[in-house]
Amino acid sequence: MDLSIIVPTYNEAPNVAELVRRVTDAVQSRQTEIVFVDDSTDDTPDVIREVAETAGVSVRLIHRDEKTGGLGGAVVEGLRQAQSDLCLVMDGDLQHPPEKIPDVLERFERGDVDVVVASRYVGGGTAHGLADRTRVLVSKASTALTKAMFPVKLRDVTDPMTGFFLIDRRTVDLQTLKPRGFKILLEILARKPFRVAEVPFDFADRHAGESKASLGQGMHFVAQLTALRFGKMSLFALVGGLGAVANVFIVWALTQLGVDYLVAAIVAAEVTIIGNFLLIEHFVFQDMRGAASGVWIRFAKSFAFNNAEAVVRIPVVALMVSSGHVSAVVATAITLVVAFFVRFVFHSLVVYAPKRTGKHSVAREVLEEMDEQALQPGEL
């Protein structure tokens, strides 16, 4: 086989025949197999077997009774059992258009990359297939958070959340992969450095059936992301926690000395903002300072952002309490959690962003160590 196309499926019976037809047209004379790795509870396996009898390409079915690792686990199983080392992964709902396969193959065959990612967010790519503005916002926020956690390995990737990509499986140590949901590309790219290229594609509407996106899938993603990059983020959280304790202590001490509580709160906020910056400089992002802007520029960005965040957050708390029937404690907790993630993203992608000094910059070499902190099997 020249190419193995791995399609993880869960209750996608109405899409199988159309997918096989369009893939067959797209690959033309290339020796290709379609490997359906199926976790369905409906008649999808029977439909796959029926379509395989008359298909113009080889169609194989791997039906899993134990759905280990979810959709990502299905992809890993497909990579293991594929007959070709060149493996293309795509969804079974036709939101990943098979007509894009030749473009992906052409880019890979130039020979200068290890992975080709079909991206919704590069060039002329679109995300029209996302159901509504909320899903678009969630997708973009998730992508930003992911890139913030892996700013080196994902530097050339605009869409690490896509499920449409091509890879030579010989470059992947399948034993190290610990899929927990449906973002298998993230799992692959976070484990080791790859040379990555992207081609744009239009994320289409589903051909048939219902979306599998859910709150549960979102929780799987959070668990996966946290497991891959828990070390640095936990240090950032620890610094934030120390800052909160220091803030309370300063307010208490100043008010004991007779200082007005509003003045005390402002002083405490500014002192802890400065203290937090010094701590993250030396204990969180110390491996990124060499390639980033100068220390005073970093400080100015951090100081301005944290003050702006406080100016926005406090009125939001007041609004939640006054109009949302939420207690002050709960409102404060919610906004602090959101603010934590926003601050982490901002500092990783903006404050400590590497200076652009060319394709082969020293920045890339200096920063490589950061992504090597991703957890390996057995470290969880």
Side-chain angles (χ1 to χ4, degrees):
M1 289 292 174
D2 297 330
L3 175 67
S4 292
I5 298 177
I6 298 167
V7 184
T9 51
Y10 178 74
N11 296 348
E12 297 288 359
N15 297 313
V16 171
E18 181 67 6
L19 175 67
V20 172
R21 182 190 69 78
R22 289 171 59 180
V23 167
T24 302
D25 291 343
V27 298
Q28 298 179 355
S29 60
R30 186 182 290 265
Q31 288 293 106
T32 303
E33 67 167 352
I34 304 175
V35 182
F36 287 97
V37 186
D38 183 66
D39 294 341
S40 296
T41 57
D42 64 358
D43 61 343
T44 299
D46 295 331
V47 173
I48 293 172
R49 294 186 188 99
E50 181 180 347
V51 170
E53 293 178 359
T54 58
V57 296
S58 173
V59 175
R60 288 200 291 141
L61 169 66
I62 301 171
H63 183 71
R64 303 195 307 166
D65 293 324
E66 295 185 9
K67 304 171 180 58
T68 306
L71 209 62
V75 172
V76 173
E77 185 64 25
L79 290 171
R80 290 195 183 102
Q81 298 201 33
Q83 294 183 12
S84 172
D85 288 323
L86 189 59
C87 297
L88 183 142
V89 178
M90 64 187 305
D91 290 348
D93 55 14
L94 291 168
Q95 290 190 293
H96 298 157
E99 292 75 18
K100 235 15 219 187
I101 293 174
D103 292 345
V104 175
L105 286 168
E106 187 277 329
R107 182 63 189 86
F108 184 86
E109 288 170 347
R110 296 183 198 176
D112 60 340
V113 296
D114 305 306
V115 184
V116 178
V117 174
S119 171
R120 298 164 288 183
Y121 304 123
V122 71
T126 69
H128 294 323
L130 292 175
D132 51 41
R133 291 183 180 179
T134 300
R135 284 195 62 191
V136 171
L137 181 61
V138 169
S139 175
K140 291 185 176 180
S142 300
T143 297
L145 179 60
T146 302
K147 287 174 66 66
M149 288 192 174
F150 299 95
V152 176
K153 289 193 177 80
L154 301 182
R155 184 175 182 178
D156 297 323
V157 184
T158 64
D159 197 359
M161 318 297 284
T162 185
F164 192 9
F165 61 94
L166 178 70
I167 192 167
D168 185 333
R169 68 175 175 186
R170 292 171 295 185
T171 65
V172 182
D173 184 355
L174 299 179
Q175 299 304 314
T176 68
L177 300 180
K178 300 294 180 182
R180 297 170 180 83
F182 60 116
K183 302 303 181 184
I184 188 61
L185 178 63
L186 169 62
E187 182 81 20
I188 291 171
L189 296 180
R191 291 292 176 183
K192 59 176 283 191
F194 286 93
R195 298 173 300 167
V196 181
E198 293 187 313
V199 298
F201 84 101
D202 295 321
F203 188 67
D205 295 326
R206 287 182 60 88
H207 176 68
E210 297 180 355
S211 172
K212 307 305 188 295
S214 65
L215 178 61
Q217 290 284 14
M219 296 301 294
H220 280 300
F221 162 68
V222 172
Q224 178 187 23
L225 192 59
T226 302
L228 287 169
R229 175 54 91 198
F230 192 71
K232 187 172 288 293
M233 199 172 192
S234 65
L235 286 174
F236 192 85
L238 179 60
V239 169
L242 291 174
V245 172
N247 192 309
V248 172
F249 177 78
I250 293 171
V251 170
W252 173 81
L254 291 177
T255 53
Q256 290 296 305
L257 294 173
V259 178
D260 182 81
Y261 81 94
L262 285 177
V263 175
I266 293 172
V267 171
E270 300 307 316
V271 170
T272 53
I273 285 173
I274 295 171
N276 283 359
F277 173 77
L278 295 175
L279 288 174
I280 65 174
E281 271 276 291
H282 291 284
F283 298 107
V284 181
F285 294 107
Q286 78 282 2
D287 52 348
M288 299 177 68
R289 291 181 301 178
S293 302
V295 62
W296 288 110
I297 295 177
R298 297 197 300 272
F299 173 75
K301 291 177 180 177
S302 178
F303 187 81
F305 179 84
N306 280 291
N307 276 284
E309 177 269 323
V311 169
V312 172
R313 182 172 56 82
I314 293 173
V316 170
V317 171
L319 180 64
M320 293 174 68
V321 173
S322 63
S323 62
H325 305 292
V326 179
S327 72
V329 172
V330 172
T332 300
I334 292 172
T335 57
L336 284 175
V337 170
V338 173
F340 164 74
F341 284 103
V342 173
R343 285 197 299 268
F344 182 82
V345 170
F346 182 83
H347 280 79
S348 185
L349 292 183
V350 179
V351 177
Y352 293 92
K355 292 180 292 188
R356 298 184 179 277
T357 57
K359 183 177 179 180
H360 302 291
S361 66
V362 176
R364 186 181 294 270
E365 298 176 9
V366 172
L367 294 176
E368 198 67 50
E369 183 181 350
M370 174 184 172
D371 283 346
E372 293 307 318
Q373 295 175 12
L375 296 180
Q376 299 300 313
E379 291 186 77
L380 297 180

